[in-house]
Amino acid sequence: MSALIGYARPHWRVLLLSLVLTLLASVSGLVQPKFAQAILDRLDDGAGVVALLAASLVAGALLTGLNAWLQQRTSERVVRQVRRGLVHRLIRLPVAELDRRAPGDLIARVTSDSTLLKSARA
């Protein structure tokens, strides 16, 4: 776990921004029922409230989309760092260790393990 945190540490600003965006998107989703209630309460003069509800819906969608994009980009970068580190270690393995393994086994392991790391972010 500490190794994974070490890989994520350079991306702390993006991860913090992602947390803020998640909170803002949640707030946007939570205020929408209040706007809908205000519209229903004042059906005659609800144009301003309808605009607020529409703005809240658009803002929530945009924040959610931006958050998803940031998280995906960051997870891809972390996986790339992990793969680079693993390949760097593979290159420096003793020849005897490489002779004991099947030719594609180590590379397949690096690829599959780092892919599992990417899927674990969800």
Side-chain angles (χ1 to χ4, degrees):
M1 189 64 164
S2 63
L4 181 59
I5 291 172
Y7 282 112
R9 186 170 286 126
H11 306 283
W12 71 270
R13 287 181 183 95
V14 175
L15 294 172
L16 182 63
L17 178 60
S18 179
L19 176 65
V20 169
L21 288 174
T22 299
L23 292 173
L24 289 174
S26 296
V27 167
S28 174
L30 291 172
V31 298
Q32 291 169 10
K34 287 303 247 182
F35 291 140
Q37 180 185 14
I39 289 171
L40 292 175
D41 289 345
R42 295 181 276 151
L43 284 176
D44 294 334
D45 60 328
V49 180
V50 171
L52 287 175
L53 178 59
S56 174
L57 289 168
V58 170
L62 289 174
L63 290 171
T64 301
L66 179 61
N67 187 31
W69 177 77
L70 282 173
Q71 286 182 355
Q72 183 66 27
R73 186 187 74 162
T74 304
S75 76
E76 291 292 338
R77 288 182 177 183
V78 169
V79 168
R80 184 183 66 206
Q81 285 178 309
V82 169
R83 285 182 178 168
R84 280 183 178 172
L86 289 172
V87 168
H88 184 72
R89 288 190 69 175
L90 281 177
I91 290 171
R92 285 162 177 62
L93 280 176
V95 175
E97 180 67 27
L98 294 172
D99 286 342
R100 285 188 277 174
R101 308 270 184 200
D105 185 38
L106 293 174
I107 295 299
R109 185 75 187 262
V110 166
T111 303
S112 66
D113 287 356
S114 59
T115 302
L116 286 174
L117 174 67
K118 184 169 60 171
S119 67
R121 72 171 175 85

